[in-house]
Amino acid sequence: MTDFAAIILAAGKGTRMKSDLHKVLHPIAGRPMLDHLMAAVDELSPTRRVVVVGAGKEQIEAAVAGRADTALQEPQHGTGHAVQQAQVPLEGFDGDVLVLYGDVPFVRAQTMQAMLERLHQDDATAVVVLGFEPEDALQYGRVIAGNDGAISKMVEFKDASASERACRMCNSGLMAASAKDMFALLNRVDNDNAQGEYYLPDIVNIAIADGRVCAVVSTDDPDEVAGINSRSELAQAEARWQAARREQAMVDGASLRAPETVFFSYDTKIGRDVTIEPNVVFGPGVTVADGVHIKAFSHLEGASVGGSAQVGPFARLRPGAVLEEGAFVGNFVEMKKATLGPGAKASHLTYLGDAAVGAGANIGAGTITCNYDGYFKYQTVIGERAFIGSNSALIAPVTIGADAIVAAGSAVSRDVADGELRMVRAEQFVKPGWADRFHDTMKKKKATKKKA
């Protein structure tokens, strides 16, 4: 692989999104579409990255800070003009350039590599175009090429003849060329067209007129070059991504009881022999080991689930939640920045925040760790094999020793030693016959009120 620079166009206003958030920062599978594209680019280790910005530039500049240079296109006069803006940050760069679009997020690294490799075949190609063949070619611009991929003409649909419109090879807009050729050709593009703009595809026809070879490389997956311009298209892209990820999870050995109801994030890691019941959502940062059972209506984000552990139903694992080997959380249990040790369990109606629970401990129903005083967070430590009775409040910072028992209904604010029983309850009063006398009195009052 020769040195190359990725130029990503992201200057459009994205008005069809009707959003204050820049179009290319809208997430798919928990990751901005721009980051999906940049991750694929990074697989090829580019020498330089330039993102061309315009409307909403502050958002893009903040998003790519430290990862890419930016170039401002203002005003905006077409795709050719946009690429020209990258010439200054790429001054002195003499490798190849690959032109991509921030709203076309799913171009694969191998497709980019194929484009760059085609530049260096024996015919000294000037420009490589990425083409695709959709089921319905609609009004895409056409790439007229021979069987060897050499392009004879690039033509917009409105300017194409009937025979040219019959060609199914369409222009994705993605291109590759040496930096020298790219910018030299762009300097010769004019804006003598209905829109008064400088179009990037014009460089191909200019090069062909010079007697240079231009070639098309085709993707076998039209969805790879699908652009996203509206909320509807964003939802369609999410659906395609999720469908592919669900299929991959099952290929890799997980069982999805109702695949269409399970939603993954871009970085979800799922082991073998994992069972995932309906309506489970994985936010970013989740790792699930082999043999785990995740029951219906659970939500996991930033969590790690150890082998043979069980989650849910209706469980919520927030960032920093760790279930170790064989641990169990049941219905309506929430964990945040807490570790449940091997074989430990919190079966229902529990909140564990900023906590470390030892192996084999049992957390009773309704238990909460009171980890926040309105200003700071504090930790609760629960020892191995400890038993926390139902409806207990553990007021952090507090440590419950190994094999200790906290009686149901206790509010514990001081440490409990190993093997100790801690019971914190108000004294109970017994008044025999009081309830009977109360009911009699109230019934008489009610009867008297009705007569009145």
Side-chain angles (χ1 to χ4, degrees):
M1 178 67 70
T2 60
D3 288 346
F4 82 97
I7 301 174
I8 301 175
L9 306 188
K13 295 180 179 179
T15 54
R16 288 170 57 192
M17 295 295 280
K18 293 182 172 59
S19 175
D20 293 332
L21 180 66
H22 195 287
K23 175 173 67 172
V24 302
L25 299 181
H26 279 263
I28 299 170
R31 184 187 224 177
M33 63 174 87
L34 177 60
D35 284 359
H36 279 282
L37 180 62
M38 291 185 70
V41 170
D42 287 348
E43 290 183 39
L44 302 181
S45 301
T47 304
R48 302 285 297 277
R49 305 166 189 80
V50 179
V51 180
V52 180
V53 299
K57 66 183 181 68
E58 296 83 4
Q59 293 182 27
I60 302 294
E61 289 168 347
V64 303
R67 298 187 293 156
D69 297 317
T70 58
L72 177 63
Q73 184 192 19
E74 187 60 45
Q76 294 165 29
H77 292 314
T79 52
H81 179 251
V83 176
Q84 278 185 310
Q85 308 316 303
Q87 188 167 3
V88 171
L90 290 179
E91 186 176 1
F93 178 76
D94 60 358
D96 299 329
V97 294
L98 184 64
V99 179
L100 305 162
Y101 294 80
D103 59 1
V104 182
F106 294 130
V107 184
R108 295 170 293 183
Q110 55 264 43
T111 300
M112 301 178 197
Q113 184 168 347
M115 294 173 67
L116 294 167
E117 289 176 349
R118 182 65 182 84
L119 276 178
H120 296 279
Q121 292 186 6
D122 294 339
D123 55 6
T125 306
V127 182
V128 171
V129 175
L130 180 62
F132 67 107
E133 297 187 32
E135 290 186 12
D136 187 342
L138 300 173
Q139 296 188 19
Y140 291 110
R142 301 300 203 264
V143 182
I144 311 303
N147 293 332
D148 60 353
I151 300 172
S152 59
K153 185 179 182 182
M154 298 274 287
V155 60
E156 294 298 318
F157 180 84
K158 64 181 182 298
D159 300 321
S161 65
S163 62
E164 289 168 342
R165 290 181 179 183
C167 171
R168 296 188 65 248
M169 182 63 70
C170 298
N171 175 26
S172 72
L174 279 67
M175 295 189 182
S178 70
K180 178 181 178 181
D181 282 338
M182 176 66 74
F183 295 117
L185 290 167
L186 280 172
N187 287 335
R188 296 166 61 190
V189 172
D190 63 42
N191 65 342
D192 185 16
N193 53 61
Q195 300 298 319
E197 294 188 343
Y198 300 88
Y199 294 131
L200 180 61
D202 286 352
I203 67 174
V204 175
N205 290 331
I206 293 172
I208 292 171
D210 290 344
R212 301 285 303 277
V213 173
C214 294
V216 62
V217 169
S218 178
T219 173
D220 58 3
D221 181 8
D223 287 340
E224 184 177 9
V225 294
I228 299 171
N229 298 292
S230 67
R231 304 278 187 162
S232 176
E233 291 173 353
L234 182 69
Q236 292 167 30
E238 178 82 38
R240 290 194 300 270
W241 191 96
Q242 292 293 344
R245 183 63 184 88
R246 293 164 189 150
E247 184 63 29
Q248 188 61 52
M250 291 185 285
V251 167
D252 292 340
S255 292
L256 277 58
R257 297 278 175 80
E260 69 280 3
T261 70
V262 176
F263 288 84
F264 293 105
S265 281
Y266 71 97
D267 59 351
T268 307
K269 295 179 175 62
I270 302 291
R272 296 177 61 181
D273 293 318
V274 171
T275 298
I276 303 174
E277 293 186 4
N279 299 295
V280 172
V281 175
F282 296 93
V286 176
T287 300
V288 178
D290 295 348
V292 169
H293 188 173
I294 302 177
K295 297 181 180 179
F297 294 98
S298 294
H299 188 285
L300 297 80
E301 180 178 2
S304 175
V305 183
S308 302
Q310 293 188 56
V311 177
F314 295 98
R316 184 181 182 199
L317 303 185
R318 293 168 57 194
V322 177
L323 270 66
E324 296 187 354
E325 184 85 17
F328 170 65
V329 294
N331 50 292
F332 305 107
V333 172
E334 178 180 350
M335 290 179 62
K336 187 275 301 179
K337 201 176 179 182
T339 298
L340 201 59
K345 57 186 178 180
S347 297
H348 29 233
L349 303 166
T350 289
Y351 171 69
L352 298 173
D354 295 278
V357 180
N362 181 87
I363 310 300
T367 296
I368 62 171
T369 56
C370 306
N371 57 326
Y372 182 52
D373 65 1
Y375 295 93
F376 302 102
K377 297 288 184 72
Y378 302 94
Q379 189 175 41
T380 298
V381 178
I382 299 172
E384 295 182 355
R385 299 173 302 280
F387 183 94
I388 310 300
S390 297
N391 201 35
S392 293
L394 308 180
I395 304 168
V398 68
T399 297
I400 311 299
D403 298 301
I405 296 175
V406 172
S410 295
V412 179
S413 58
R414 296 196 301 271
D415 290 352
V416 179
D418 293 352
E420 184 176 279
L421 168 66
R422 180 67 57 85
M423 180 184 297
V424 188
R425 299 175 183 162
E427 183 181 353
Q428 296 189 40
F429 295 94
V430 179
K431 296 184 176 182
W434 186 94
D436 290 337
R437 293 191 296 274
F438 172 79
H439 291 311
D440 289 343
T441 301
M442 298 309 291
K443 286 175 183 177
K444 289 175 182 178
K445 284 185 178 180
K446 188 172 183 179
T448 301
K449 189 175 183 180
K450 282 184 178 180
K451 289 179 181 179

